[in-house]
Amino acid sequence: MKTLLTACLFSLALALTSFAQSPPPAPPQTSPPGAPAPAVSPGALANPAAPPQLPTAATSPAGPAVPASPGLATSPTATVTATLSASPGEAQTKPSGLGSNFLIDNFRKGGPIMWPILIVSIVGLTVVIERIFWWGGRWFRRDPKRIEKVFTAIESGDLAEASRLSRGSRDPVLRMMWNGLNHQHASLQGALQVAAGIEIKRAGRFLVVMDTLVTLAPLLGLLGTITGLIRSFSFLGNEELAVQAVTGGIAEALIATACGLGIAIFALIPFNFFTSRVSNLEFELQTAATNLEVMLGAQSAAREMEIGAPQASGKGASI
């Protein structure tokens, strides 16, 4: 559960990072009171219709600048200067806040169905990361050399050594063998089946969730397609807004469909991989359980023959 919580927090942090807002545009700079007004461009001086430039208190050589009173009207020269100082190219290249982020822009265009798709994607990413960590730990927990030692001890008849070697191991096969060795006098086959079932359940955890996500994500994308087309056709009666509304609805349909299919493709590959790993683990457990049953059965038969041999020889001597 700690690994799952860590993976969930990592997924949420990744989602928040991808949806991070771009920095807001810088506020326009205003000159402080008493500062000299910016120079007028040559085009403004060449315009005959422009009013003549009036002397201001900032450019007066008589003394320091005197701030204008609140009731004084704004000079036409300052208005023309402020208007000409901002170039059209600079105004067009300014960022527009949230709209400048590609992911957020497409997320908004995808419509309300994008919120369930976002939740599905976060859950899918969390499950994939948790399973990767679990199977990575399972790979490091494997101990095939100890398994061979346990089988060697059983074959030689030293069941106490075999139980000691398999005790406290993190390998699922060794845990199952230890459970079978400790319960061989009651029900060996039942103990092996219970231990193998517990290990397979641990390995197949959250596979049902991934299977559900693989099926649910395309359906959500298809639902977004239908809602986008409905939105497009609802504006066809208005000729003024028809073109813009229809294109927006089609974009919503395509974005939702693409996101749903992308999540399904992303979850399908790990789902098949983890399913194959569970099948391989199940085969390993069945093989080890069968070998253990055969070896213990052979040991029991050998002990019975050793016990029965002296009895038979004693009866023959008495006869």
Side-chain angles (χ1 to χ4, degrees):
M1 295 304 294
K2 293 182 179 180
T3 306
L4 178 61
L5 180 60
T6 304
C8 183
L9 293 177
F10 177 79
S11 303
L12 292 177
L14 183 62
L16 293 177
T17 303
S18 62
F19 283 95
Q21 302 179 4
S22 60
Q29 298 181 356
T30 57
S31 59
V40 183
S41 60
L45 295 176
N47 187 6
Q53 184 176 2
L54 299 177
T56 58
T59 57
S60 176
V66 180
S69 61
L72 187 60
T74 306
S75 174
T77 306
T79 305
V80 174
T81 304
T83 305
L84 296 177
S85 61
S87 60
E90 183 182 358
Q92 294 178 0
T93 57
K94 286 184 178 181
S96 58
L98 295 177
S100 62
N101 195 311
F102 177 77
L103 293 177
I104 295 180
D105 190 15
N106 288 332
F107 183 83
R108 289 184 172 182
K109 290 180 180 178
I113 201 64
M114 292 297 295
W115 289 104
I117 292 178
L118 177 62
I119 296 175
V120 168
S121 64
I122 292 177
V123 173
L125 183 62
T126 303
V127 172
V128 170
I129 294 176
E130 193 273 340
R131 289 288 87 190
I132 289 175
F133 277 105
W134 193 90
W135 283 106
R138 159 72 169 78
W139 177 264
F140 289 107
R141 289 193 300 266
R142 294 185 61 186
D143 198 355
K145 294 182 179 180
R146 185 180 291 188
I147 294 175
E148 293 296 332
K149 292 180 180 180
V150 171
F151 282 132
T152 303
I154 294 174
E155 189 176 2
S156 62
D158 193 356
L159 298 182
E161 179 66 16
S163 178
R164 186 189 66 82
L165 289 173
S166 59
R167 183 188 302 114
S169 177
R170 301 182 64 188
D171 193 330
V173 178
L174 288 174
R175 284 201 296 258
M176 181 198 66
M177 294 175 65
W178 180 81
N179 196 14
L181 289 173
N182 288 342
H183 299 85
Q184 60 175 333
H185 300 290
S187 176
L188 175 62
Q189 186 177 5
L192 292 176
Q193 288 180 354
V194 170
I198 293 174
E199 299 298 335
I200 292 174
K201 185 177 180 180
R202 289 177 180 175
R205 185 173 55 180
F206 300 128
L207 288 183
V208 177
V209 177
M210 294 186 66
D211 191 10
T212 305
L213 296 181
V214 170
T215 308
L216 181 61
L219 294 178
L220 290 176
L222 181 60
L223 180 60
T225 303
I226 300 301
T227 56
L229 293 178
I230 292 174
R231 180 171 173 269
S232 298
F233 286 109
S234 63
F235 288 97
L236 289 180
N238 193 348
E239 297 180 356
E240 297 180 357
L241 302 176
V243 177
Q244 182 178 2
V246 168
T247 54
I250 294 176
E252 175 182 342
L254 295 178
I255 290 173
T257 305
C259 292
L261 291 177
I263 294 172
I265 294 172
F266 170 78
L268 180 62
I269 298 176
F271 171 72
N272 290 333
F273 174 74
F274 295 145
T275 303
S276 65
R277 299 305 303 171
V278 172
S279 300
N280 293 337
L281 179 60
E282 184 177 0
F283 176 75
E284 292 179 5
L285 292 174
Q286 289 179 356
T287 303
T290 303
N291 292 335
L292 184 62
E293 289 180 0
V294 171
M295 289 184 177
L296 291 179
Q299 293 292 331
S300 299
R303 284 197 299 268
E304 290 178 358
M305 291 180 62
E306 291 177 358
I307 294 174
Q311 294 178 358
S313 61
K315 290 180 180 179
S318 62
I319 292 174

PDB file of all heavy atoms in Angstrom, residues 2 25 41 80 83 88 132 168-169 176-178 203 206 228 238 262 302 314:
ATOM      1  N   LYS A   2       2.040   1.194   0.655  1.00  0.00           N
ATOM      2  CA  LYS A   2       2.926   2.348   0.633  1.00  0.00           C
ATOM      3  C   LYS A   2       3.432   2.619  -0.774  1.00  0.00           C
ATOM      4  O   LYS A   2       3.527   3.771  -1.209  1.00  0.00           O
ATOM      5  CB  LYS A   2       4.094   2.118   1.584  1.00  0.00           C
ATOM      6  CG  LYS A   2       3.693   2.072   3.055  1.00  0.00           C
ATOM      7  CD  LYS A   2       4.914   1.878   3.934  1.00  0.00           C
ATOM      8  CE  LYS A   2       4.526   1.845   5.414  1.00  0.00           C
ATOM      9  NZ  LYS A   2       5.708   1.645   6.283  1.00  0.00           N
ATOM     10  N   PRO A  25       1.504  37.452 -18.302  1.00  0.00           N
ATOM     11  CA  PRO A  25       2.204  38.533 -18.983  1.00  0.00           C
ATOM     12  C   PRO A  25       2.581  39.642 -18.010  1.00  0.00           C
ATOM     13  O   PRO A  25       1.913  39.884 -17.015  1.00  0.00           O
ATOM     14  CB  PRO A  25       1.185  39.013 -20.028  1.00  0.00           C
ATOM     15  CG  PRO A  25      -0.138  38.615 -19.480  1.00  0.00           C
ATOM     16  CD  PRO A  25       0.106  37.316 -18.744  1.00  0.00           C
ATOM     17  N   SER A  41       7.545  59.525 -32.032  1.00  0.00           N
ATOM     18  CA  SER A  41       8.180  58.975 -33.228  1.00  0.00           C
ATOM     19  C   SER A  41       8.157  59.994 -34.350  1.00  0.00           C
ATOM     20  O   SER A  41       7.325  60.891 -34.392  1.00  0.00           O
ATOM     21  CB  SER A  41       7.432  57.701 -33.648  1.00  0.00           C
ATOM     22  OG  SER A  41       6.092  58.002 -33.935  1.00  0.00           O
ATOM     23  N   VAL A  80      -0.879  60.565 -27.681  1.00  0.00           N
ATOM     24  CA  VAL A  80      -0.333  60.115 -28.958  1.00  0.00           C
ATOM     25  C   VAL A  80       0.955  59.356 -28.741  1.00  0.00           C
ATOM     26  O   VAL A  80       1.219  58.329 -29.377  1.00  0.00           O
ATOM     27  CB  VAL A  80      -0.109  61.330 -29.888  1.00  0.00           C
ATOM     28  CG1 VAL A  80       0.597  60.898 -31.161  1.00  0.00           C
ATOM     29  CG2 VAL A  80      -1.432  61.990 -30.214  1.00  0.00           C
ATOM     30  N   THR A  83       0.251  55.872 -27.408  1.00  0.00           N
ATOM     31  CA  THR A  83      -0.355  55.017 -28.437  1.00  0.00           C
ATOM     32  C   THR A  83       0.685  54.530 -29.420  1.00  0.00           C
ATOM     33  O   THR A  83       0.669  53.364 -29.839  1.00  0.00           O
ATOM     34  CB  THR A  83      -1.457  55.789 -29.179  1.00  0.00           C
ATOM     35  OG1 THR A  83      -2.392  56.277 -28.242  1.00  0.00           O
ATOM     36  CG2 THR A  83      -2.147  54.879 -30.195  1.00  0.00           C
ATOM     37  N   PRO A  88       2.472  46.936 -32.924  1.00  0.00           N
ATOM     38  CA  PRO A  88       1.484  45.855 -33.084  1.00  0.00           C
ATOM     39  C   PRO A  88       2.097  44.472 -32.939  1.00  0.00           C
ATOM     40  O   PRO A  88       1.470  43.558 -32.444  1.00  0.00           O
ATOM     41  CB  PRO A  88       0.939  46.096 -34.498  1.00  0.00           C
ATOM     42  CG  PRO A  88       1.278  47.517 -34.810  1.00  0.00           C
ATOM     43  CD  PRO A  88       2.540  47.817 -34.087  1.00  0.00           C
ATOM     44  N   ILE A 132       4.898  -2.037 -11.891  1.00  0.00           N
ATOM     45  CA  ILE A 132       6.307  -2.060 -12.302  1.00  0.00           C
ATOM     46  C   ILE A 132       7.211  -2.197 -11.081  1.00  0.00           C
ATOM     47  O   ILE A 132       8.163  -2.988 -11.072  1.00  0.00           O
ATOM     48  CB  ILE A 132       6.645  -0.794 -13.112  1.00  0.00           C
ATOM     49  CG1 ILE A 132       5.985  -0.850 -14.490  1.00  0.00           C
ATOM     50  CG2 ILE A 132       8.158  -0.635 -13.270  1.00  0.00           C
ATOM     51  CD1 ILE A 132       6.166   0.405 -15.311  1.00  0.00           C
ATOM     52  N   GLY A 168      11.456 -17.984   5.906  1.00  0.00           N
ATOM     53  CA  GLY A 168      11.820 -16.569   5.868  1.00  0.00           C
ATOM     54  C   GLY A 168      12.216 -16.039   4.509  1.00  0.00           C
ATOM     55  O   GLY A 168      12.733 -14.920   4.423  1.00  0.00           O
ATOM     56  N   SER A 169      11.992 -16.782   3.447  1.00  0.00           N
ATOM     57  CA  SER A 169      12.354 -16.312   2.113  1.00  0.00           C
ATOM     58  C   SER A 169      11.253 -15.429   1.549  1.00  0.00           C
ATOM     59  O   SER A 169      10.064 -15.576   1.874  1.00  0.00           O
ATOM     60  CB  SER A 169      12.597 -17.505   1.185  1.00  0.00           C
ATOM     61  OG  SER A 169      12.874 -17.061  -0.128  1.00  0.00           O
ATOM     62  N   MET A 176       5.727 -20.989  -0.794  1.00  0.00           N
ATOM     63  CA  MET A 176       4.761 -22.066  -0.995  1.00  0.00           C
ATOM     64  C   MET A 176       5.339 -23.406  -0.538  1.00  0.00           C
ATOM     65  O   MET A 176       4.651 -24.222   0.102  1.00  0.00           O
ATOM     66  CB  MET A 176       4.377 -22.127  -2.476  1.00  0.00           C
ATOM     67  CG  MET A 176       3.350 -23.204  -2.801  1.00  0.00           C
ATOM     68  SD  MET A 176       3.311 -23.598  -4.559  1.00  0.00           S
ATOM     69  CE  MET A 176       4.932 -24.319  -4.789  1.00  0.00           C
ATOM     70  N   MET A 177       6.612 -23.656  -0.843  1.00  0.00           N
ATOM     71  CA  MET A 177       7.227 -24.924  -0.434  1.00  0.00           C
ATOM     72  C   MET A 177       7.332 -25.026   1.091  1.00  0.00           C
ATOM     73  O   MET A 177       7.124 -26.108   1.663  1.00  0.00           O
ATOM     74  CB  MET A 177       8.613 -25.028  -1.083  1.00  0.00           C
ATOM     75  CG  MET A 177       8.571 -25.146  -2.600  1.00  0.00           C
ATOM     76  SD  MET A 177      10.215 -25.125  -3.356  1.00  0.00           S
ATOM     77  CE  MET A 177      10.889 -26.631  -2.700  1.00  0.00           C
ATOM     78  N   TRP A 178       7.648 -23.920   1.748  1.00  0.00           N
ATOM     79  CA  TRP A 178       7.720 -23.948   3.215  1.00  0.00           C
ATOM     80  C   TRP A 178       6.356 -24.255   3.830  1.00  0.00           C
ATOM     81  O   TRP A 178       6.254 -25.003   4.809  1.00  0.00           O
ATOM     82  CB  TRP A 178       8.235 -22.604   3.716  1.00  0.00           C
ATOM     83  CG  TRP A 178       8.345 -22.525   5.209  1.00  0.00           C
ATOM     84  CD1 TRP A 178       9.356 -23.003   5.982  1.00  0.00           C
ATOM     85  CD2 TRP A 178       7.392 -21.942   6.101  1.00  0.00           C
ATOM     86  NE1 TRP A 178       9.112 -22.756   7.314  1.00  0.00           N
ATOM     87  CE2 TRP A 178       7.908 -22.106   7.422  1.00  0.00           C
ATOM     88  CE3 TRP A 178       6.181 -21.303   5.941  1.00  0.00           C
ATOM     89  CZ2 TRP A 178       7.239 -21.656   8.538  1.00  0.00           C
ATOM     90  CZ3 TRP A 178       5.508 -20.844   7.062  1.00  0.00           C
ATOM     91  CH2 TRP A 178       6.027 -21.030   8.335  1.00  0.00           C
ATOM     92  N   ALA A 203       0.182 -11.425  -7.209  1.00  0.00           N
ATOM     93  CA  ALA A 203       0.759 -11.071  -8.510  1.00  0.00           C
ATOM     94  C   ALA A 203      -0.275 -10.479  -9.452  1.00  0.00           C
ATOM     95  O   ALA A 203       0.065  -9.625 -10.286  1.00  0.00           O
ATOM     96  CB  ALA A 203       1.402 -12.310  -9.141  1.00  0.00           C
ATOM     97  N   PHE A 206      -4.794  -5.658  -9.160  1.00  0.00           N
ATOM     98  CA  PHE A 206      -5.080  -4.496 -10.013  1.00  0.00           C
ATOM     99  C   PHE A 206      -5.153  -4.836 -11.508  1.00  0.00           C
ATOM    100  O   PHE A 206      -5.299  -3.927 -12.325  1.00  0.00           O
ATOM    101  CB  PHE A 206      -4.046  -3.379  -9.818  1.00  0.00           C
ATOM    102  CG  PHE A 206      -3.976  -2.848  -8.429  1.00  0.00           C
ATOM    103  CD1 PHE A 206      -2.763  -2.764  -7.761  1.00  0.00           C
ATOM    104  CD2 PHE A 206      -5.114  -2.449  -7.759  1.00  0.00           C
ATOM    105  CE1 PHE A 206      -2.694  -2.283  -6.473  1.00  0.00           C
ATOM    106  CE2 PHE A 206      -5.055  -1.973  -6.472  1.00  0.00           C
ATOM    107  CZ  PHE A 206      -3.847  -1.888  -5.833  1.00  0.00           C
ATOM    108  N   GLY A 228     -19.765  15.931 -28.821  1.00  0.00           N
ATOM    109  CA  GLY A 228     -19.232  16.979 -29.693  1.00  0.00           C
ATOM    110  C   GLY A 228     -20.049  17.145 -30.958  1.00  0.00           C
ATOM    111  O   GLY A 228     -20.312  18.277 -31.408  1.00  0.00           O
ATOM    112  N   ASN A 238     -28.358  28.645 -36.727  1.00  0.00           N
ATOM    113  CA  ASN A 238     -27.889  30.030 -36.698  1.00  0.00           C
ATOM    114  C   ASN A 238     -26.780  30.190 -37.728  1.00  0.00           C
ATOM    115  O   ASN A 238     -25.699  29.612 -37.593  1.00  0.00           O
ATOM    116  CB  ASN A 238     -27.379  30.369 -35.284  1.00  0.00           C
ATOM    117  CG  ASN A 238     -27.170  31.867 -35.109  1.00  0.00           C
ATOM    118  OD1 ASN A 238     -27.187  32.626 -36.064  1.00  0.00           O
ATOM    119  ND2 ASN A 238     -26.981  32.277 -33.862  1.00  0.00           N
ATOM    120  N   GLY A 262      -5.740   6.813 -26.906  1.00  0.00           N
ATOM    121  CA  GLY A 262      -4.374   6.853 -26.404  1.00  0.00           C
ATOM    122  C   GLY A 262      -4.239   6.193 -25.038  1.00  0.00           C
ATOM    123  O   GLY A 262      -3.278   5.455 -24.779  1.00  0.00           O
ATOM    124  N   ALA A 302       9.616 -44.903   0.415  1.00  0.00           N
ATOM    125  CA  ALA A 302      10.874 -45.521   0.844  1.00  0.00           C
ATOM    126  C   ALA A 302      10.844 -45.848   2.333  1.00  0.00           C
ATOM    127  O   ALA A 302      11.329 -46.915   2.759  1.00  0.00           O
ATOM    128  CB  ALA A 302      12.034 -44.580   0.530  1.00  0.00           C
ATOM    129  N   GLY A 314      11.255 -61.063   9.734  1.00  0.00           N
ATOM    130  CA  GLY A 314      10.949 -61.698  11.034  1.00  0.00           C
ATOM    131  C   GLY A 314       9.922 -62.800  10.882  1.00  0.00           C
ATOM    132  O   GLY A 314      10.029 -63.860  11.479  1.00  0.00           O
TER     133      GLY A 314
END
